Amino acid sequence: MVIGFLKGKKDIKCPISPDLVKKYKALGFEIIAESGINDAAYFSKDSYNSEVNFIERNEVIAKSDVLFCADPLKDDEYAKIDKKTHFISLLEPYNKPEVNDQMAKYEFKTFSMDMIPRTTLAQSMDVLSSMASVAGYKAVLKASEKLPRYIPMMITAAGSIKPSRVLVIGAGVAGLQAIATARRLGAIVEAFDVRSASKEEVESLGAKFIEVAGATDDTSAGGYAVEQSADFMKRQQEEVQKRAANSDIIITTAQLRGRPAPKLILKETINKMKPGSIIIDLASSTGGNCELSVDEKTIVHNGVTIIGNSNLADEMIQDSSILLSNNIFNFVKVMVKENAIFYDAENEILAKSKI
Ligand code: NAD
């Protein structure tokens, strides 16, 4: 059994960390990987103890029984994949439904790890959660670095400085990590979410939960939020506007799976913010929570810096590569039985992630 790893075009994290080599061997795998795949994450070639065969991309495609690439391949590359291969990727079929038809053309099996169900059993394979957690942490560090103010309260001989106020919108995986990080730095933190279940989590981290009554119930949405009514969104925007004027940092993380992110910070809200304040929009790749944010760009409006970045996990590439590698390994484990690859259609994790 051969497992092969390809470099992503956009996602440059390394999907095979040196620590996992022995574990793959124990499952019965020989490991091959595209040359240079380890470089971006600063994993030295030596740390793989010559147990990974680093070879040319097309050779990896042709020889793998299980093949991983974080990004889609080109059509001529798909054509080279053997029909017995299990191809694993992150293809976002909920945002790009055309992927389903495209992959149906091929005989090999395709699995998209962003479709793994949000169950307790699948938590160790949940790439979206791993990356959201890194991004939430990094967002606060990035904002604090740009902020022309202290985060904690400072009492000095020259006078006292008030602690910064951080507003977190969306208290899911990224938001909770942002709250915890901002609290550790000494900020006063407030947070919004439409899922009532998040209130307790926000409060347990020492932040204040801001409630807007009348959110649409999302209990059957598999852990994802649902779209809210126009009336709710209007009331939420008014509440955000009040809090934003007082905030030094706003981190937005609110996402709706398969739909554009809700617009929660309007231009008029930003106009009311203190110059020097920072907004980090982690939802920018799906349209952003902030009306003015531009994906993968930093802009300044009325002295407020707005950073649109849904890919902050790549700015902590070594640890995010370790987490990604662990998620992939835990997923691959499910498709191996007695040292052979086995697709069990009854297995919920495999069935739900298969395209
Ligand atoms: P996400 O990235 O889809 O969204 C981020 C947050 O934005 C969510 O908490 C969502 O409720 C919130 N949001 C959406 N619209 C909003 C609005 N108008 N205003 C304010 N907030 C809004 O979600 P996520 O962070 O990936 O996860 C959400 C939940 O699912 C969390 O509770 C998480 O713990 C849970 N989860 C469970 C598992 C598991 O059990 N395996 C895995 C992952 C996540």
Side-chain angles (χ1 to χ4, degrees):
M1 256 187 335
V2 178
I3 185 160
F5 297 92
L6 294 175
K7 280 198 230 174
K9 285 273 175 297
K10 191 160 184 275
D11 186 335
I12 54 161
K13 290 184 281 297
C14 176
I16 170 73
S17 67
D19 282 355
L20 289 174
V21 171
K22 281 202 162 48
K23 293 187 178 179
Y24 275 115
K25 295 251 157 189
L27 282 185
F29 278 111
E30 198 185 302
I31 311 167
I32 57 177
E34 184 176 349
S35 294
I37 199 167
N38 50 311
D39 292 342
Y42 304 95
F43 296 140
S44 74
K45 227 174 148 182
D46 289 347
S47 58
Y48 293 91
N49 292 325
S50 311
E51 292 192 288
V52 173
N53 202 3
F54 292 100
I55 54 180
E56 193 255 325
R57 183 175 178 92
N58 281 329
E59 238 184 299
V60 177
I61 296 173
K63 288 185 175 164
S64 299
D65 300 306
V66 175
L67 178 66
F68 178 87
C69 185
D71 292 328
L73 307 191
K74 291 195 228 130
D75 279 335
D76 62 326
E77 292 181 320
Y78 283 135
K80 290 184 192 126
I81 299 179
D82 187 87
K83 61 179 181 197
K84 289 196 293 306
T85 301
H86 283 33
F87 173 60
I88 308 172
S89 187
L90 290 150
L91 299 173
E92 296 178 56
Y94 45 89
N95 284 333
K96 302 168 188 160
E98 66 280 6
V99 160
N100 293 305
D101 287 342
Q102 188 197 3
M103 299 320 290
K105 289 193 301 203
Y106 302 106
E107 283 186 85
F108 59 84
K109 290 188 176 61
T110 301
F111 299 86
S112 195
M113 287 185 69
D114 40 24
M115 294 299 287
I116 287 173
R118 306 192 118 178
T119 56
T120 310
L121 215 60
Q123 260 175 348
S124 63
M125 316 161 198
D126 189 341
V127 185
L128 299 184
S129 289
S130 300
M131 297 312 130
S133 180
V134 176
Y137 168 83
K138 188 69 183 178
V140 173
L141 297 193
K142 206 174 184 65
S144 65
E145 203 220 349
K146 295 258 177 217
L147 188 73
R149 308 192 262 272
Y150 269 117
I151 299 267
M153 179 169 78
M154 279 287 161
I155 299 171
T156 79
S160 300
I161 305 274
K162 285 188 198 153
S164 286
R165 302 186 80 94
V166 176
L167 177 63
V168 176
I169 302 184
V173 182
L176 289 173
Q177 197 54 252
I179 293 169
T181 308
R183 289 286 300 146
R184 273 184 226 132
L185 289 178
I188 297 174
V189 186
E190 295 182 310
F192 274 104
D193 203 294
V194 286
R195 291 178 305 106
S196 49
S198 63
K199 180 176 194 280
E200 212 179 295
E201 292 163 338
V202 166
E203 289 174 346
S204 72
L205 291 170
K208 183 171 179 208
F209 186 75
I210 304 159
E211 251 164 310
V212 181
T216 306
D217 183 49
D218 53 22
T219 37
S220 56
Y224 294 103
V226 292
E227 205 157 10
Q228 300 297 318
S229 68
D231 172 58
F232 176 89
M233 291 294 283
K234 186 170 168 285
R235 284 184 291 119
Q236 187 184 27
Q237 273 158 4
E238 283 163 7
E239 201 57 45
V240 170
Q241 188 152 318
K242 268 194 240 157
R243 313 281 168 163
N246 252 332
S247 302
D248 301 285
I249 293 173
I250 303 182
I251 313 272
T252 70
T253 77
Q255 306 244 42
L256 298 167
R257 194 164 163 94
R259 286 168 178 273
K263 287 274 178 277
L264 301 167
I265 302 186
L266 307 181
K267 187 173 171 188
E268 55 178 293
T269 310
I270 301 165
N271 288 341
K272 295 204 164 84
M273 290 177 72
K274 288 174 279 183
S277 302
I278 313 288
I279 299 174
I280 305 225
D281 192 344
L282 297 182
S284 59
S285 67
T286 52
N289 296 137
C290 173
E291 200 171 41
L292 297 183
S293 63
V294 182
D295 191 32
E296 295 179 9
K297 294 254 177 324
T298 297
I299 59 155
V300 180
H301 175 83
N302 270 0
V304 176
T305 302
I306 305 160
I307 301 174
N309 195 334
S310 296
N311 219 6
L312 280 182
D314 279 6
E315 296 192 16
M316 266 177 47
I317 193 130
Q318 193 165 72
D319 278 344
S320 53
S321 293
I322 289 173
L323 296 174
L324 171 68
S325 300
N326 290 346
N327 290 144
I328 299 166
F329 176 75
N330 290 324
F331 183 62
V332 169
K333 247 185 350 188
V334 182
M335 46 175 80
V336 175
K337 254 206 181 117
E338 288 156 16
N339 288 6
I341 296 155
F342 173 69
Y343 172 68
D344 176 4
E346 301 289 302
N347 183 302
E348 192 200 9
I349 295 169
L350 294 180
K352 290 225 163 119
S353 56
K354 186 170 172 296
I355 291 189

